[in-house]
């Protein structure tokens, strides 16, 4: 394991201490001065369009080709999810379990590494990035994660490798030069509490890499996101992260770090006005799921000084509310632009989408 990923006593606070401190922050009428120094959006169009794992509706997710296409289709920002390898390299996969996003099952030399692990209370069986060195992972090829819905994407199975976080940053920089506009990047730190229990310090590595790429500043085209809260607080208070941060939420359940700390709060509890004012001391945006988005939530978040950037607009019937579906086939595309118009009418500041071209079109329609 890379020494950069090993947590130190000096830089790591307990979840209880961090979350207890957050809960005791006095309520204010707006964000703290610390939060106010960050400027989410970075001059991107409003609302800005995030290519979710790239252009996942058209290419296998988390590949350089997917990010390239997202930017060329008009995305303002691209997203990589970050998980570690055995030797401590941050790579871009949706989850550490990779049987659905690589051809690992076709490699007999890795058959004995298939195992079952429990991550954040959920049991998974398959192959996991922390059991592979980067060199071993490079022998695998990316495949379409949703072949039953995106059969056309399977044409590209096997063409591209699993990229590293640094390669994602290099791709962002190259695309910015090529397209003549600044392409942003929103990395998501996955399963922070779980990986910390294994001895990995993903937060330290993210900050180190951003510094090396001269991207650790409030004005850099970078936001860092997580479904957990402790690491977002620590990134700001202990690790020296200067970019804006995004607290992701889900319709159900609770952040894994709160669960581990015995904190009973659910995601829904963290989206009430008083909690949003507390969050604004440490984060700059909230990223709710689409079903959580209401005009009231957007208004409350804006009153607290937070931007709202929900996830994920997808074109297939499978992912659309019933009133926006067309026909019975889950893979058919529904009335995604009508759904986007409904979401944009709430006043959101940006949104994640698997089809960036449709996201840009929806924004253009909003502008009239």
């Amino acid at each position: 394991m890379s020494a950069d990923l090993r947590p130190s006593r000096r830089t790591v606070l307990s979840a209880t201490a961090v979350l207890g401190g957050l809960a005791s922050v006095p309520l204010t009428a707006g964000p703290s001065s610390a939060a106010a120094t960050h400027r989410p959006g970075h001059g991107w169009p409003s609302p800005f369009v995030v290519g979710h794992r790239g252009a996942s509706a058209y290419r296998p997710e988390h590949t350089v080709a997917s990010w390239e296409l997202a930017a060329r289709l008009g995305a303002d920002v691209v997203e990589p999810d970050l998980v570690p390898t055995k030797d401590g390299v941050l790579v871009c996969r949706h989850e550490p379990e990779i049987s659905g996003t690589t051809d690992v099952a076709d490699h007999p030399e890795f058959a004995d590494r298939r195992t079952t692990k429990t991550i954040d209370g959920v049991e998974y069986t398959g192959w996991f990035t922390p059991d592979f060195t980067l060199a071993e992972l490079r022998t695998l090829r990316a495949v379409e994660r949703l072949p039953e819905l995106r059969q056309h994407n399977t044409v590209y199975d096997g063409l591209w490798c699993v990229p590293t976080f640094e390669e994602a940053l290099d791709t962002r920089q190259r695309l910015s030069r090529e397209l003549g506009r600044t392409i942003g990047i929103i990395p998501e730190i996955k399963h922070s509490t779980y990986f910390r229990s294994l001895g990995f310090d993903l937060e330290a590595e993210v900050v180190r890499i951003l510094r090396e790429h001269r991207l650790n500043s409030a004005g850099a085209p970078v936001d860092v996101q997580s479904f957990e809260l402790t690491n977002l607080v620590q990134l700001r208070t202990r690790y020296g992260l200067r970019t804006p941060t995004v607290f992701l939420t889900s319709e159900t359940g609770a952040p894994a770090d709160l669960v581990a700390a015995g904190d009973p709060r659910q995601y829904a509890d963290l989206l009430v006005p008083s909690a949003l004012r507390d969050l604004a001391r440490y984060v700059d945006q909230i990223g709710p799921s689409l079903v959580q988005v209401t005009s009231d939530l957007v208004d409350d978040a804006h009153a607290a000084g937070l931007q709202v950037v929900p996830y994920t607009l997808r074109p297939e019937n499978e992912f659309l509310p019933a009133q926006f579906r067309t026909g019975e086939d889950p893979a058919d595309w529904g009335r995604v632009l009508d759904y986007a118009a409904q979401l944009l009418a709430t006043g959101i500041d940006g949104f994640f989408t698997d089809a960036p071209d449709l996201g840009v079109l929806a924004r253009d329609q909003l502008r009239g």
Side-chain angles (χ1 to χ4, degrees):
M1 181 193 305
S2 167
D4 294 315
L5 288 179
R6 295 184 185 277
S8 69
R9 291 187 180 183
R10 184 178 65 83
T11 59
V12 177
L13 298 175
S14 71
T16 302
V18 170
L19 298 170
L22 180 64
S24 64
V25 172
L27 299 183
T28 62
S32 70
S33 59
T37 62
H38 298 278
R39 303 296 182 192
H42 311 286
W44 301 322
S46 180
F48 59 90
V49 176
V50 182
H52 183 240
R53 309 173 200 165
S56 303
Y58 309 115
R59 299 290 187 272
E61 65 188 34
H62 286 131
T63 57
V64 170
S66 186
W67 297 322
E68 288 175 338
L69 183 58
R72 290 168 185 158
L73 290 176
D76 306 297
V77 188
V78 295
E79 183 213 27
D81 295 332
L82 305 180
V83 294
T85 63
K86 185 177 183 179
D87 46 346
V89 179
L90 294 180
V91 295
C92 304
R93 291 289 89 185
H94 173 48
E95 292 289 347
E97 201 288 295
I98 55 172
S99 62
T101 59
T102 72
D103 62 356
V104 64
D106 298 331
H107 287 252
E109 68 273 24
F110 298 133
D112 62 348
R113 298 194 198 180
R114 187 173 188 269
T115 187
T116 298
K117 299 187 180 186
T118 299
I119 301 175
D120 296 343
V122 179
E123 188 176 276
Y124 300 89
T125 297
W127 290 263
F128 298 82
T129 59
D131 297 330
F132 291 80
T133 65
L134 178 63
E136 290 173 329
L137 203 62
R138 288 295 209 188
T139 67
L140 308 180
R141 312 303 285 180
V143 301
E144 171 56 38
R145 186 175 65 90
L146 301 171
E148 69 283 1
L149 296 178
R150 295 173 173 170
Q151 193 276 332
H152 53 284
N153 281 7
T154 64
V155 170
Y156 305 102
D157 284 357
L159 293 185
W160 302 299
C161 66
V162 175
T164 66
F165 180 35
E166 295 202 65
E167 289 169 336
L169 294 177
D170 290 340
T171 300
R172 181 213 70 82
Q173 185 177 38
R174 173 172 55 81
L175 288 167
S176 296
R177 290 195 304 265
E178 174 187 321
L179 299 174
R181 59 186 176 91
T182 300
I183 304 300
I185 192 165
I186 302 186
E188 180 187 339
I189 298 175
K190 304 290 291 193
H191 304 294
S192 175
T193 297
Y194 169 76
F195 284 123
R196 189 172 299 281
S197 74
L198 301 180
F200 293 101
D201 189 345
L202 275 60
E203 290 71 28
E205 186 71 350
V206 166
V207 175
R208 181 190 70 79
I209 291 173
L210 289 177
R211 282 174 176 159
E212 285 191 356
H213 286 254
R214 298 183 179 182
L215 291 171
N216 186 37
S217 66
V222 179
D223 297 345
V224 177
Q225 56 180 344
S226 175
F227 275 98
E228 299 186 29
L229 186 55
T230 302
N231 62 335
L232 293 178
V233 174
Q234 291 178 342
L235 279 166
R236 183 81 83 237
T237 61
R238 289 290 180 175
Y239 290 97
L241 181 74
R242 296 180 59 80
T243 75
T245 55
V246 187
F247 178 50
L248 300 167
T249 69
S250 177
E251 181 183 12
T252 60
D257 54 322
L258 268 65
V259 174
D263 188 316
R265 287 178 291 176
Q266 304 287 296
Y267 281 117
D269 299 321
L270 296 166
L271 295 182
V272 300
S274 59
L276 291 170
R277 292 193 292 268
D278 286 350
L279 285 172
R281 288 188 170 272
Y282 296 97
V283 304
D284 304 277
Q285 302 172 22
I286 57 169
S289 65
L290 295 183
V291 295
Q292 292 179 290
V293 176
T294 64
S295 295
D296 286 345
L297 174 62
V298 174
D299 290 345
D300 291 341
H302 286 171
L306 294 164
Q307 288 196 324
V308 182
V309 186
Y311 67 93
T312 300
L313 183 68
R314 295 177 165 116
E316 294 90 358
N317 282 330
E318 175 77 11
F319 305 111
L320 294 172
Q323 66 269 34
F324 296 109
R325 295 172 187 166
T326 302
E328 302 296 326
D329 189 338
D332 283 350
W333 286 21
R335 293 170 36 236
V336 62
L337 291 176
D338 291 339
Y339 185 34
Q342 176 178 292
L343 294 166
L344 291 171
T346 65
I348 58 176
D349 302 283
F351 59 101
F352 289 74
T353 177
D354 285 5
D357 54 335
L358 298 182
V360 171
L361 179 57
R363 180 177 65 199
D364 290 346
Q365 290 180 323
L366 174 69
R367 293 171 170 175

